Amino acid sequence: MPRRGAAAFVQCVALGCATHHAPPVPAGPFLAIEQRTAPLPASSAPNAAAVSLAFGALPPETLGRVHRHLAEATTRAVRRALPALFLDDEPAPSSYADVLPDIPALTAAANLLGSPWNAEGISVALVPRCAPNASTCIPLFAPEEPADALGRRARALAWAFGHAALLRAPGDARARLLEELRRAALRSSGTIALVFDADHGTLDDAELGGLEADARRALAHWPADAPGQAWLGALAAAPGAWRLPFALGPDELFVVPRLSALARLRDFDAELARAGNSERLGSAAR
Amino acid sequence: MKQVVWWALALGGLFVGGCSNDKGGTGNQGGSGNTAGSPGTSGKTLAGTWDLTTTPLEGDVVMTTVVLGQDSLAITSPDFNLTATRSGDTVTYTDEQTVNIPADDVLLTAKQSAGSFNAGIVPFDLGGSWMITIAPASGGSVMTCTLSVGASEIDGSCRKVTDDGFDFDFTTAKQTSAVSSFGDLGGTWLHTWTQNGSANTCALDFGDASIKTCPGTLAGGGSSATPVSGITFDFDGADTVSGTLQGWAEFSATRR
């Protein structure tokens, strides 16, 4: 052993090897936060990519179910608009939820694709690594909630990422966990919006084609000023391929809560635990 | 006009129905540091500045700022602004329906005869009886309303003065009491909404730090719903609230 190397070894044993004791470098992605004075356009608008992303994180049969649901709702709307042509007294769709029952999933998907998220005085972007000159940059999957108000506000804007859970479950356990979590996501009173088992994928062409056709039919028959027209337009243009804006490992699941459940994150955690065993790699804002 | 009504409902005025302007009332019950909260909320009220996120519906997503104060309410969004301030026993509520076009403003003026009522974490003084007028800034009443808020019953009535308005009545009677961060609202209530000759009912449940109303939606044409149907509201006791409106639209707000 060279003298310099031996000295370094002794020093290392005596004082501790700095490289072994350095805190681990947080893995990406990160939220880069900028404080702005000028107003910025908001994001997370209804869009076709978000529709496909949402269907990529719901049970495969969801596409067909929404297709049938939309077709039935549109038929009811047509019959209601033209009562003279129909003898039966079809009830009108009673709410937006009748047309788009998976709106919490669509809402979450739109937020996932919404970077940069802007609000009064702040802009937050999803980045793979922090720029050397970044003023504030926080790891997305931090073990602890950021203590400062700026970090909390950033996570609130990027809420779908900011409150999601990253789980690891190997092998068969992962398949069972995925099935249970996606079943939980369909419960109307549940807290789960989306469950991803991959960071990209493609949707069933035939089902998607049928859904797009019915969305176009709905657009033609629903009032132009009806709420949700933008989502119907997005459904009509949904691409077959979807992609998360970050890489997911092979044993990982990425679970996003509903916007309406952000004050009930304990319930969200409980739903995750009930679904099965997994190692929690990260979660924000706990 | 109805924007005022719906926003007030959304912000916790479940019980006031269409007579929304009392939401701008000021508080002898709330405010930081008081003991309004239940064990579930550690005494924190809803006072503060909140970033509000809602279900995106159209092309542009609206980020809204809500400032709840002991003596004020301000809602700022790109499309409209609402402000409420109290002076003595009168609350003035301005609905700037089109930003920077004052001629489109709607004013709600509510005069209170005070009564006992603890709204818990809601930092407004709501108790007693109210005389309310709703009018465009250019003058002339559109609607006149009365409202009474008590620990066991909350009733309201509005009559249109011009064709811009609409008539309705409601009663909200307490069924059972419960310890709640919402003070006297804690427990279950039966809300009855009467409009155009038909009456619909809705059960309301004010829990420790949550609100849940009957299923349903009025906006989509539901025939048996009320304006307070389909609402859930949860407060985590710290700096986040979230829930649903009209049975499907989601919201969440985080305190800065």
Side-chain angles (χ1 to χ4, degrees):
Chain A
M1 179 179 290
R3 285 179 63 85
R4 208 168 68 181
F9 176 75
V10 171
Q11 185 181 30
C12 177
V13 170
L15 302 177
C17 301
T19 53
H20 290 175
H21 292 272
V25 177
F30 297 84
L31 294 178
I33 308 167
E34 281 187 69
Q35 290 182 279
R36 301 278 192 92
T37 50
L40 296 163
S43 50
S44 305
N47 64 84
V51 169
S52 299
L53 184 66
F55 284 125
L58 292 169
E61 62 271 21
T62 305
L63 203 52
R65 176 174 54 78
V66 173
H67 177 193
R68 290 189 297 276
H69 207 87
L70 186 57
E72 290 166 7
T74 303
T75 297
R76 292 204 305 273
V78 172
R79 289 180 175 222
R80 188 176 169 84
L82 302 169
L85 300 181
F86 300 95
L87 296 177
D88 53 346
D89 184 20
E90 286 278 356
S94 63
S95 81
Y96 187 32
D98 273 6
V99 183
L100 289 172
D102 298 289
I103 191 68
L106 296 173
T107 299
N111 188 259
L112 287 176
L113 298 180
S115 175
W117 301 271
N118 299 321
E120 179 191 12
I122 187 173
S123 180
V124 182
L126 184 74
V127 295
R129 61 191 63 82
C130 295
N133 60 347
S135 56
T136 305
C137 192
I138 58 176
L140 192 58
F141 299 113
E144 295 174 3
E145 182 174 2
D148 69 304
L150 193 63
R152 281 195 303 106
R153 196 172 177 216
R155 288 191 186 279
L157 288 176
W159 62 267
F161 276 117
H163 298 277
L166 186 64
L167 309 178
R168 176 181 289 155
D172 291 345
R174 180 173 177 273
R176 286 194 299 273
L177 182 62
L178 175 65
E179 186 179 344
E180 287 301 319
L181 288 171
R182 285 189 168 167
R183 186 174 296 149
L186 297 179
R187 282 198 289 267
S188 61
S189 61
T191 62
I192 297 172
L194 300 168
V195 186
F196 290 95
D197 64 337
D199 53 27
H200 67 281
T202 55
L203 304 176
D204 183 285
D205 267 350
E207 290 282 17
L208 185 61
L211 177 65
E212 289 174 343
D214 272 313
R216 285 192 290 273
R217 181 167 166 255
L219 279 170
H221 291 290
W222 281 78
D225 59 350
Q229 284 282 334
W231 276 118
L232 285 177
L235 276 169
W242 58 268
R243 180 175 291 276
L244 271 174
F246 78 105
L248 201 59
D251 290 336
E252 294 173 358
L253 297 175
F254 180 61
V255 189
V256 181
R258 297 180 187 182
L259 177 64
S260 57
L262 297 189
R264 299 192 291 136
L265 290 178
R266 285 182 192 149
D267 293 344
F268 176 62
D269 291 346
E271 278 207 288
L272 298 183
R274 276 198 301 272
N277 293 327
S278 63
E279 177 191 358
R280 194 147 183 167
L281 300 177
S283 55
R286 294 293 192 281
Chain B
M1 171 67 66
K2 284 189 176 179
Q3 182 168 269
V4 178
V5 175
W6 301 128
W7 266 106
L9 290 170
L11 289 169
L14 294 173
F15 46 88
V16 300
C19 291
S20 57
N21 45 349
D22 64 312
K23 290 289 78 187
T26 61
N28 56 9
Q29 310 295 346
S32 298
N34 69 12
T35 56
S38 71
T41 62
S42 303
K44 273 198 170 185
T45 76
L46 297 177
T49 300
W50 299 78
D51 285 316
L52 176 67
T53 302
T54 57
T55 296
L57 286 182
E58 302 305 334
D60 295 322
V61 175
V62 175
M63 288 301 300
T64 301
T65 303
V66 179
V67 182
L68 282 172
Q70 185 67 33
D71 296 306
S72 65
L73 164 68
I75 302 172
T76 306
S77 92
D79 298 329
F80 70 95
N81 296 314
L82 290 177
T83 57
T85 54
R86 170 183 282 255
S87 177
D89 61 359
T90 300
V91 176
T92 302
Y93 200 136
T94 303
D95 175 12
E96 191 181 349
Q97 298 190 108
T98 310
V99 176
N100 295 327
I101 302 184
D104 288 351
D105 289 1
V106 174
L107 303 178
L108 286 81
T109 305
K111 186 174 173 60
Q112 181 186 32
S113 297
S116 174
F117 188 80
N118 173 14
I121 59 175
V122 180
F124 302 143
D125 172 10
L126 302 173
S129 57
W130 298 79
M131 295 291 295
I132 301 161
T133 59
I134 304 173
S138 52
S141 294
V142 174
M143 296 169 74
T144 60
C145 305
T146 60
L147 177 70
S148 65
V149 179
S152 61
E153 186 154 345
I154 299 166
D155 301 329
S157 177
C158 282
R159 293 291 174 267
K160 67 181 179 184
V161 178
T162 69
D163 288 341
D164 296 345
F166 53 101
D167 295 348
F168 63 86
D169 303 274
F170 67 86
T171 61
T172 313
K174 181 172 271 189
Q175 308 293 294
T176 62
S177 294
V179 174
S180 167
S181 58
F182 295 98
D184 288 338
L185 290 167
T188 58
W189 300 71
L190 184 64
H191 177 81
T192 303
W193 177 270
T194 305
Q195 187 174 352
N196 298 330
S198 66
N200 296 312
T201 60
C202 182
L204 319 178
D205 187 351
F206 287 78
D208 183 12
S210 65
I211 303 168
K212 185 173 185 179
T213 72
C214 62
T217 174
L218 189 67
S223 58
S224 61
T226 76
V228 297
S229 299
I231 293 175
T232 65
F233 178 96
D234 292 287
F235 177 38
D236 70 354
D239 299 306
T240 304
V241 300
S242 65
T244 57
L245 300 171
Q246 296 290 308
W248 58 269
E250 296 179 288
F251 70 88
S252 177
T254 302
R255 183 161 23 204
R256 289 186 197 170

